Amino acid sequence: MVPVFIPLALFVFYPLFRTVYISFFEWNLVNPKREFIGFENYTEILRQPEFITMLLQSLYYMGLALIGNFLLPIGLALLTLQVSSREAEIYQTLLFIPAVIAVSIGTLIWLWFYLPAGGLFNAILGAWQLPRPAWLNDPSLALPAVALVANWKFLGFHYLIALAGLRAIPKEFLEAARVDGASGWNLIAFVVLPLFAPSAIFLLVSTLLQSLEQVFVPIEVLTVGGPAGATDNLMYSVYNEGFKFFRAGRAAALSVFLIAAFAALIYWQFRLLEKRVTYER
Amino acid sequence: MNARTTWAARVVLIMTTALMLLPLLYQVGLSFKSPTEFFGNPLSPFPLQPTLEHYQGVLNRLPMGLYLLNSLLFSGAVTLGQIGLAIPAAYAFSHQRFVGQHLLFALIVLSMMIPFVITYIPNYLTIASWNLLGTLPGMVLPFLGSGYSVFLLRQHFRAFPSSILEAAVVDGASPSQVLWRVLAPANLAAIVSLGIYLFIQSWNQLIWPMLIASSPKVYTLTVGVQRFAGGEGGNDWGAMMAASVLTNLPTIVLFLLVRKGLLATFTDGAVKG
């Protein structure tokens, strides 16, 4: 049991503390000299208007993940209950294929799709005589375009969990409800979904927690955070500050904000689950 | 359930599945399209006159064999190391009692929730201080401890009846014999599935290997293809897609071979969790 805690301590828990420590310094990651500046990295981040924009963009990513990787997979899973389990297996397998390929590799084809001149989307729009947007170069379109790639890549994963959650609902409940005359949307709205709620909360929070991580590589491949920071988010900026601009202290302070956001989300999940349990009693 | 609803559901599912696979269809199609067709006929994913020139080009220009070897070594080492460490821990957390058990298990769960990006800078410094930048061990080490693997295996181990393990102890088996002769073999399917899942995950890693791999000698496939796409191959879509197909092929084939066990192990972990 002990051995597993050695790498966990060295590469997961120790970095947590070291990050906090680094956040009090001004340091470029390579220079042996670093200057202690207290909370200056934090105050500097909070003073910048870009920080608020970045937070809002992080929420935007989360919102898009809720549509594409929470609501959509649950909808598809509900539909899947209507077909035989043999047939369902085919959809499960095929929808999971994008989830087993490398994000970076899967994103490359989208780079071509989004190409303003010579890309697939604008070739289609051009054939229909429609206006052709600049996609990744358009500050208002770039973020949803990047999010779409992540949602495509990870849909199969979330669909699988949604379907498993729905199937875990005891058959007796459904039969009892049918005997009582519930059917179609009534059955789904008043019997299936309430029983599915605990799995749904799990799926909801993991979708939120993973959303920024899942757009990480698509951002790196498609836009590197641009144009003019329009596709940046709290998680990507940690990496950008640290490894592109070599501002280790700033990156570490951003990490602390990120940890705080994650902790709040996880706390909220447990509160929700607790409420749910009391309600069931 | 009536036939109309079933058909409506089926149509939506088939259309969604088709849309989901379309990007991959284009990826494969483009890899076989000649440059003339690429510019002349961009809408269709199907090449009219398939050509192997992009594959030949990629194999000539990039050391794909070396990248493949690095990917295999990296993914293999992460998978074996992570599973080898997770099995005893999962045993301890599922069938043994010890002081601090709850606290340590809370740490396991906590480790699953820490966003990976915050560990990059500290881990980069650690690997640098051990002089392991630009080496495969430097890439592998941070991935050896995984809360997720411990958690998932514990979920499966827990379902195994304690009475059988206790009977083995009564018969004189030591804890390690109980684990490696009884519990682990009984959960072989779950262990293998987790292993394949971890292998695919590591195969697909980009950012950390890219930070560590300072020279092409240690590039994995994903890093090599990414450097190519971001550099000399940036406008050569045919070559980029051929390299993409070659990188994706092993994981897709592996997944299709074991899909049933893999999906089941995975969902069991999620639902029982």
Side-chain angles (χ1 to χ4, degrees), chain A residues 36-239:
Chain A
F36 181 84
I37 54 170
F39 284 95
E40 215 172 286
N41 282 319
Y42 293 89
T43 51
E44 215 172 276
I45 288 169
L46 289 172
R47 262 202 305 271
Q48 282 178 329
E50 289 93 353
F51 182 64
I52 301 296
T53 316
M54 203 173 60
L55 285 184
L56 290 175
Q57 282 170 187
S58 306
L59 289 176
Y60 192 3
Y61 275 120
M62 288 181 163
L64 291 172
L66 278 190
I67 298 170
N69 278 346
F70 179 71
L71 296 177
L72 181 63
I74 290 176
L76 290 173
L78 283 170
L79 290 176
T80 310
L81 294 181
Q82 306 294 322
V83 302
S84 70
S85 53
R86 258 187 101 86
E87 189 179 337
E89 214 173 87
I90 300 173
Y91 303 127
Q92 258 176 309
T93 304
L94 293 178
L95 287 173
F96 204 74
I97 288 180
V100 298
I101 64 168
V103 193
S104 59
I105 303 285
T107 306
L108 283 178
I109 187 71
W110 291 83
L111 196 58
W112 175 67
F113 284 175
Y114 286 136
L115 220 57
L120 179 70
F121 290 161
N122 278 355
I124 295 173
L125 292 172
W128 288 71
Q129 313 281 330
L130 291 166
R132 293 175 295 172
W135 299 109
L136 301 172
N137 298 326
D138 180 332
S140 59
L141 275 180
L143 192 153
V146 169
L148 177 65
V149 178
N151 286 354
W152 163 73
K153 168 70 180 93
F154 293 98
L155 176 86
F157 218 71
H158 296 257
Y159 165 71
L160 192 71
I161 295 173
L163 191 56
L166 284 173
R167 283 186 171 153
I169 295 171
K171 294 272 175 296
E172 306 87 68
F173 288 170
L174 301 183
E175 271 150 31
R178 280 207 191 93
V179 170
D180 287 346
S183 67
W185 287 113
N186 279 331
L187 186 70
I188 290 176
F190 298 113
V191 184
V192 174
L193 289 181
L195 287 168
F196 176 62
S199 313
I201 293 174
F202 169 76
L203 189 64
L204 173 75
V205 176
S206 61
T207 301
L208 290 175
L209 286 178
Q210 286 166 14
S211 58
L212 299 186
E213 188 170 328
Q214 292 178 339
V215 291
F216 195 100
V217 171
I219 295 174
E220 172 75 4
V221 174
L222 295 173
T223 64
V224 212
T231 54
D232 204 357
N233 68 39
L234 191 50
M235 191 178 271
Y236 188 75
S237 68
V238 171
Y239 165 78

Side-chain angles (χ1 to χ4, degrees), chain B residues 122-183:
Chain B
N123 284 347
Y124 186 85
L125 297 171
T126 304
I127 294 299
S129 70
W130 293 352
N131 281 323
L132 290 176
L133 289 182
T135 68
L136 282 168
M139 281 187 212
V140 172
L141 282 172
F143 289 110
L144 289 184
S146 156
Y148 177 74
S149 296
V150 175
F151 187 82
L152 188 93
L153 285 182
R154 169 186 171 264
Q155 300 299 96
H156 285 273
F157 285 6
R158 259 198 336 181
F160 192 82
S162 288
S163 54
I164 296 180
L165 301 182
E166 279 153 17
V169 173
V170 171
D171 288 347
S174 69
S176 81
Q177 282 173 323
V178 168
L179 172 58
W180 296 107
R181 300 255 174 93
V182 185
L183 191 59

Side-chain angles (χ1 to χ4, degrees), chain B residues 185-264:
Chain B
N187 286 284
L188 195 62
I191 295 172
V192 169
S193 297
L194 174 65
I196 289 165
Y197 171 73
L198 294 177
F199 187 87
I200 292 175
Q201 280 252 307
S202 328
W203 187 272
N204 294 343
Q205 286 282 349
L206 175 74
I207 305 288
W208 179 254
M210 199 160 74
L211 287 176
I212 294 299
S214 43
S215 88
K217 271 188 302 197
V218 284
Y219 280 4
T220 60
L221 277 168
T222 46
V223 176
V225 173
Q226 203 52 45
R227 293 281 187 221
F228 178 69
E232 53 163 324
N235 286 314
D236 194 344
W237 294 97
M240 219 192 288
M241 292 309 136
S244 299
V245 171
L246 291 174
T247 306
N248 284 344
L249 210 56
T251 51
I252 293 182
V253 169
L254 195 59
F255 167 66
L256 291 177
L257 285 176
V258 297
R259 68 196 161 80
K260 239 182 159 160
L262 192 72
L263 297 181

